Amino acid sequence: MALAAGLVLVGVAACSGGERTDDGDGGGKGVSKGGSKPGGSSAPATGAATGPAPLTEEQLTAASLTDGERIGRYTASEYALGAPLGEDYTAEPAVCQPLVSLARGATAFDPVAEVHRKVDIPDEMLGLTVSVQLRSYAAQGATGVLKALRAAGRDCAGGFTEDRALARATYLKVESAEAPDVGDEAAAYRFTILDVKGELKLYEYLTVVRSGSTTLSFRAEITGTEDVGGVPEEIVQAQWQKFRAAGKT
């Protein structure tokens, strides 16, 4: 989880248009293949390549929001100190890890390339921040990631603990949220979290979209107890449209 400061704290060359169904889990839609296991998938992390090669970091960069790009009242930027939600964000039990971070090691499938952006309102120091992360995977890796995420949403609904170097956070509840109708499948969640003092309830939202062998992840947090109601739709749509357009070049 990206815990707020002072508090607790899709890849193919052309986007896939696969059949979509509502599976009733995490607001997700789509058809997934392969088995799953706690913290990952029963499918091997590497295997025979199927379909187009995963997008490179250069291609993901071309498909991502750019530094200074405006989205209504929001502005996109690059992270000054590297990628957020890294490998030091872990979960107990381990099956809950995809809800905390999709960094390398979160599931049985590690990304081939990834790009990270931040979207916020620059003049609002304590306002909403959305971490936008694009990751490409080999073979069926992206599908396996979504399966692991959904397994975490089911198995960790009653709560879990997030660990990192300087803090532990208690997730009280994991609930399904409305997922966007884009990509081959998508899942969304609402988290209720205790602050580090164990006094205040905070709210965060996670939306993950899969398009072919690429995932687009959006995590919304705010420094305070306000419930923002979800990842802003305009941010999801702006990134999706840019990714889709890049896939057609």
Side-chain angles (χ1 to χ4, degrees), residues 5-28:
L7 297 172
V8 115
L9 289 165
V10 189
V12 288
C15 298
S16 172
E19 177 185 0
R20 299 170 59 85
T21 64
D22 189 346
D23 65 6
D25 183 8

PDB file of all heavy atoms in Angstrom, residues 5-28:
ATOM      1  N   ALA A   5       1.553  10.256   3.609  1.00  0.00           N
ATOM      2  CA  ALA A   5       2.599  10.818   4.448  1.00  0.00           C
ATOM      3  C   ALA A   5       2.008  11.315   5.750  1.00  0.00           C
ATOM      4  O   ALA A   5       1.014  11.997   5.760  1.00  0.00           O
ATOM      5  CB  ALA A   5       3.281  11.975   3.725  1.00  0.00           C
ATOM      6  N   GLY A   6       2.666  10.944   6.837  1.00  0.00           N
ATOM      7  CA  GLY A   6       2.224  11.373   8.153  1.00  0.00           C
ATOM      8  C   GLY A   6       1.159  10.486   8.716  1.00  0.00           C
ATOM      9  O   GLY A   6       0.833  10.576   9.889  1.00  0.00           O
ATOM     10  N   LEU A   7       0.558   9.625   7.873  1.00  0.00           N
ATOM     11  CA  LEU A   7      -0.427   8.677   8.343  1.00  0.00           C
ATOM     12  C   LEU A   7       0.062   7.319   7.942  1.00  0.00           C
ATOM     13  O   LEU A   7       1.164   7.136   7.478  1.00  0.00           O
ATOM     14  CB  LEU A   7      -1.799   8.955   7.696  1.00  0.00           C
ATOM     15  CG  LEU A   7      -2.413  10.309   8.048  1.00  0.00           C
ATOM     16  CD1 LEU A   7      -3.631  10.548   7.207  1.00  0.00           C
ATOM     17  CD2 LEU A   7      -2.770  10.351   9.516  1.00  0.00           C
ATOM     18  N   VAL A   8      -0.802   6.278   8.151  1.00  0.00           N
ATOM     19  CA  VAL A   8      -0.394   5.014   7.627  1.00  0.00           C
ATOM     20  C   VAL A   8      -0.374   5.192   6.163  1.00  0.00           C
ATOM     21  O   VAL A   8      -1.320   5.594   5.551  1.00  0.00           O
ATOM     22  CB  VAL A   8      -1.377   3.984   8.017  1.00  0.00           C
ATOM     23  CG1 VAL A   8      -2.115   3.373   6.925  1.00  0.00           C
ATOM     24  CG2 VAL A   8      -0.648   2.914   8.732  1.00  0.00           C
ATOM     25  N   LEU A   9       0.758   5.347   6.959  1.00  0.00           N
ATOM     26  CA  LEU A   9       0.553   5.654   5.713  1.00  0.00           C
ATOM     27  C   LEU A   9      -0.764   4.938   5.600  1.00  0.00           C
ATOM     28  O   LEU A   9      -1.113   4.343   6.592  1.00  0.00           O
ATOM     29  CB  LEU A   9       1.768   5.201   4.867  1.00  0.00           C
ATOM     30  CG  LEU A   9       2.944   6.056   5.153  1.00  0.00           C
ATOM     31  CD1 LEU A   9       4.199   5.538   4.699  1.00  0.00           C
ATOM     32  CD2 LEU A   9       2.707   7.452   4.801  1.00  0.00           C
ATOM     33  N   VAL A  10      -2.321  -2.721 -21.821  1.00  0.00           N
ATOM     34  CA  VAL A  10      -2.827  -3.605 -21.096  1.00  0.00           C
ATOM     35  C   VAL A  10      -1.938  -4.229 -21.813  1.00  0.00           C
ATOM     36  O   VAL A  10      -1.822  -3.894 -21.776  1.00  0.00           O
ATOM     37  CB  VAL A  10      -3.818  -2.758 -20.657  1.00  0.00           C
ATOM     38  CG1 VAL A  10      -4.641  -2.694 -19.905  1.00  0.00           C
ATOM     39  CG2 VAL A  10      -3.533  -1.862 -20.271  1.00  0.00           C
ATOM     40  N   GLY A  11       0.563  -6.475 -22.742  1.00  0.00           N
ATOM     41  CA  GLY A  11       0.938  -5.645 -23.707  1.00  0.00           C
ATOM     42  C   GLY A  11       0.904  -6.375 -24.980  1.00  0.00           C
ATOM     43  O   GLY A  11       1.450  -7.422 -25.122  1.00  0.00           O
ATOM     44  N   VAL A  12       0.213  -5.769 -25.814  1.00  0.00           N
ATOM     45  CA  VAL A  12       0.187  -6.242 -27.185  1.00  0.00           C
ATOM     46  C   VAL A  12       0.380  -5.054 -28.089  1.00  0.00           C
ATOM     47  O   VAL A  12       0.139  -3.929 -27.717  1.00  0.00           O
ATOM     48  CB  VAL A  12      -1.164  -6.924 -27.517  1.00  0.00           C
ATOM     49  CG1 VAL A  12      -1.261  -8.257 -26.834  1.00  0.00           C
ATOM     50  CG2 VAL A  12      -2.337  -6.049 -27.167  1.00  0.00           C
ATOM     51  N   ALA A  13       0.802  -5.302 -29.309  1.00  0.00           N
ATOM     52  CA  ALA A  13       0.975  -4.187 -30.232  1.00  0.00           C
ATOM     53  C   ALA A  13      -0.364  -3.566 -30.548  1.00  0.00           C
ATOM     54  O   ALA A  13      -0.468  -2.392 -30.804  1.00  0.00           O
ATOM     55  CB  ALA A  13       1.651  -4.662 -31.506  1.00  0.00           C
ATOM     56  N   ALA A  14      -1.419  -4.372 -30.591  1.00  0.00           N
ATOM     57  CA  ALA A  14      -2.767  -3.844 -30.740  1.00  0.00           C
ATOM     58  C   ALA A  14      -3.578  -4.401 -29.608  1.00  0.00           C
ATOM     59  O   ALA A  14      -3.499  -5.558 -29.288  1.00  0.00           O
ATOM     60  CB  ALA A  14      -3.374  -4.273 -32.081  1.00  0.00           C
ATOM     61  N   CYS A  15      -4.390  -3.558 -28.950  1.00  0.00           N
ATOM     62  CA  CYS A  15      -5.097  -3.990 -27.762  1.00  0.00           C
ATOM     63  C   CYS A  15      -6.089  -5.080 -28.096  1.00  0.00           C
ATOM     64  O   CYS A  15      -6.803  -5.020 -29.085  1.00  0.00           O
ATOM     65  CB  CYS A  15      -5.835  -2.800 -27.133  1.00  0.00           C
ATOM     66  SG  CYS A  15      -4.693  -1.512 -26.602  1.00  0.00           S
ATOM     67  N   SER A  16      -6.153  -6.090 -27.221  1.00  0.00           N
ATOM     68  CA  SER A  16      -7.007  -7.238 -27.465  1.00  0.00           C
ATOM     69  C   SER A  16      -8.446  -6.890 -27.218  1.00  0.00           C
ATOM     70  O   SER A  16      -8.764  -6.148 -26.317  1.00  0.00           O
ATOM     71  CB  SER A  16      -6.581  -8.392 -26.558  1.00  0.00           C
ATOM     72  OG  SER A  16      -7.483  -9.444 -26.644  1.00  0.00           O
ATOM     73  N   GLY A  17      -9.338  -7.507 -27.948  1.00  0.00           N
ATOM     74  CA  GLY A  17     -10.762  -7.286 -27.763  1.00  0.00           C
ATOM     75  C   GLY A  17     -11.449  -8.564 -27.393  1.00  0.00           C
ATOM     76  O   GLY A  17     -12.466  -8.914 -27.966  1.00  0.00           O
ATOM     77  N   GLY A  18     -10.890  -9.298 -26.430  1.00  0.00           N
ATOM     78  CA  GLY A  18     -11.420 -10.601 -26.062  1.00  0.00           C
ATOM     79  C   GLY A  18     -12.797 -10.515 -25.447  1.00  0.00           C
ATOM     80  O   GLY A  18     -13.241  -9.477 -24.994  1.00  0.00           O
ATOM     81  N   GLU A  19     -13.453 -11.661 -25.394  1.00  0.00           N
ATOM     82  CA  GLU A  19     -14.786 -11.748 -24.826  1.00  0.00           C
ATOM     83  C   GLU A  19     -14.728 -11.376 -23.366  1.00  0.00           C
ATOM     84  O   GLU A  19     -13.835 -11.751 -22.626  1.00  0.00           O
ATOM     85  CB  GLU A  19     -15.300 -13.184 -24.970  1.00  0.00           C
ATOM     86  CG  GLU A  19     -16.677 -13.385 -24.342  1.00  0.00           C
ATOM     87  CD  GLU A  19     -17.115 -14.822 -24.397  1.00  0.00           C
ATOM     88  OE1 GLU A  19     -16.352 -15.645 -24.908  1.00  0.00           O
ATOM     89  OE2 GLU A  19     -18.224 -15.107 -23.929  1.00  0.00           O
ATOM     90  N   ARG A  20     -15.730 -10.624 -22.876  1.00  0.00           N
ATOM     91  CA  ARG A  20     -15.765 -10.176 -21.496  1.00  0.00           C
ATOM     92  C   ARG A  20     -17.003 -10.713 -20.829  1.00  0.00           C
ATOM     93  O   ARG A  20     -18.085 -10.715 -21.389  1.00  0.00           O
ATOM     94  CB  ARG A  20     -15.757  -8.642 -21.435  1.00  0.00           C
ATOM     95  CG  ARG A  20     -14.540  -8.012 -22.048  1.00  0.00           C
ATOM     96  CD  ARG A  20     -14.694  -6.526 -22.171  1.00  0.00           C
ATOM     97  NE  ARG A  20     -14.922  -5.937 -20.863  1.00  0.00           N
ATOM     98  CZ  ARG A  20     -13.940  -5.595 -20.028  1.00  0.00           C
ATOM     99  NH1 ARG A  20     -12.690  -5.784 -20.381  1.00  0.00           N
ATOM    100  NH2 ARG A  20     -14.186  -5.062 -18.857  1.00  0.00           N
ATOM    101  N   THR A  21     -16.817 -11.161 -19.600  1.00  0.00           N
ATOM    102  CA  THR A  21     -17.936 -11.594 -18.790  1.00  0.00           C
ATOM    103  C   THR A  21     -17.739 -11.059 -17.405  1.00  0.00           C
ATOM    104  O   THR A  21     -16.630 -10.772 -16.989  1.00  0.00           O
ATOM    105  CB  THR A  21     -18.026 -13.125 -18.708  1.00  0.00           C
ATOM    106  OG1 THR A  21     -16.861 -13.615 -18.034  1.00  0.00           O
ATOM    107  CG2 THR A  21     -18.115 -13.748 -20.076  1.00  0.00           C
ATOM    108  N   ASP A  22     -18.808 -10.914 -16.641  1.00  0.00           N
ATOM    109  CA  ASP A  22     -18.708 -10.463 -15.270  1.00  0.00           C
ATOM    110  C   ASP A  22     -18.578 -11.681 -14.385  1.00  0.00           C
ATOM    111  O   ASP A  22     -19.499 -12.478 -14.281  1.00  0.00           O
ATOM    112  CB  ASP A  22     -19.981  -9.665 -14.909  1.00  0.00           C
ATOM    113  CG  ASP A  22     -19.848  -8.985 -13.570  1.00  0.00           C
ATOM    114  OD1 ASP A  22     -18.918  -9.347 -12.828  1.00  0.00           O
ATOM    115  OD2 ASP A  22     -20.673  -8.103 -13.276  1.00  0.00           O
ATOM    116  N   ASP A  23     -17.411 -11.823 -13.741  1.00  0.00           N
ATOM    117  CA  ASP A  23     -17.210 -12.997 -12.911  1.00  0.00           C
ATOM    118  C   ASP A  23     -17.594 -12.754 -11.464  1.00  0.00           C
ATOM    119  O   ASP A  23     -17.451 -13.621 -10.615  1.00  0.00           O
ATOM    120  CB  ASP A  23     -15.764 -13.498 -12.986  1.00  0.00           C
ATOM    121  CG  ASP A  23     -14.764 -12.513 -12.407  1.00  0.00           C
ATOM    122  OD1 ASP A  23     -15.199 -11.485 -11.850  1.00  0.00           O
ATOM    123  OD2 ASP A  23     -13.566 -12.793 -12.492  1.00  0.00           O
ATOM    124  N   GLY A  24     -18.079 -11.552 -11.165  1.00  0.00           N
ATOM    125  CA  GLY A  24     -18.587 -11.271  -9.842  1.00  0.00           C
ATOM    126  C   GLY A  24     -17.512 -11.158  -8.779  1.00  0.00           C
ATOM    127  O   GLY A  24     -17.798 -11.191  -7.593  1.00  0.00           O
ATOM    128  N   ASP A  25     -16.244 -11.011  -9.165  1.00  0.00           N
ATOM    129  CA  ASP A  25     -15.161 -10.965  -8.193  1.00  0.00           C
ATOM    130  C   ASP A  25     -14.330  -9.714  -8.420  1.00  0.00           C
ATOM    131  O   ASP A  25     -13.729  -9.535  -9.451  1.00  0.00           O
ATOM    132  CB  ASP A  25     -14.295 -12.217  -8.352  1.00  0.00           C
ATOM    133  CG  ASP A  25     -13.181 -12.285  -7.323  1.00  0.00           C
ATOM    134  OD1 ASP A  25     -13.182 -11.440  -6.417  1.00  0.00           O
ATOM    135  OD2 ASP A  25     -12.350 -13.192  -7.425  1.00  0.00           O
ATOM    136  N   GLY A  26     -14.300  -8.823  -7.440  1.00  0.00           N
ATOM    137  CA  GLY A  26     -13.491  -7.618  -7.555  1.00  0.00           C
ATOM    138  C   GLY A  26     -13.987  -6.679  -8.626  1.00  0.00           C
ATOM    139  O   GLY A  26     -13.217  -5.900  -9.164  1.00  0.00           O
ATOM    140  N   GLY A  27     -15.288  -6.749  -8.960  1.00  0.00           N
ATOM    141  CA  GLY A  27     -15.802  -5.909 -10.017  1.00  0.00           C
ATOM    142  C   GLY A  27     -15.189  -6.276 -11.342  1.00  0.00           C
ATOM    143  O   GLY A  27     -15.319  -5.563 -12.317  1.00  0.00           O
ATOM    144  N   GLY A  28     -14.474  -7.405 -11.381  1.00  0.00           N
ATOM    145  CA  GLY A  28     -13.691  -7.748 -12.559  1.00  0.00           C
ATOM    146  C   GLY A  28     -14.528  -8.293 -13.676  1.00  0.00           C
ATOM    147  O   GLY A  28     -15.581  -8.865 -13.473  1.00  0.00           O
TER     148      GLY A  28
END
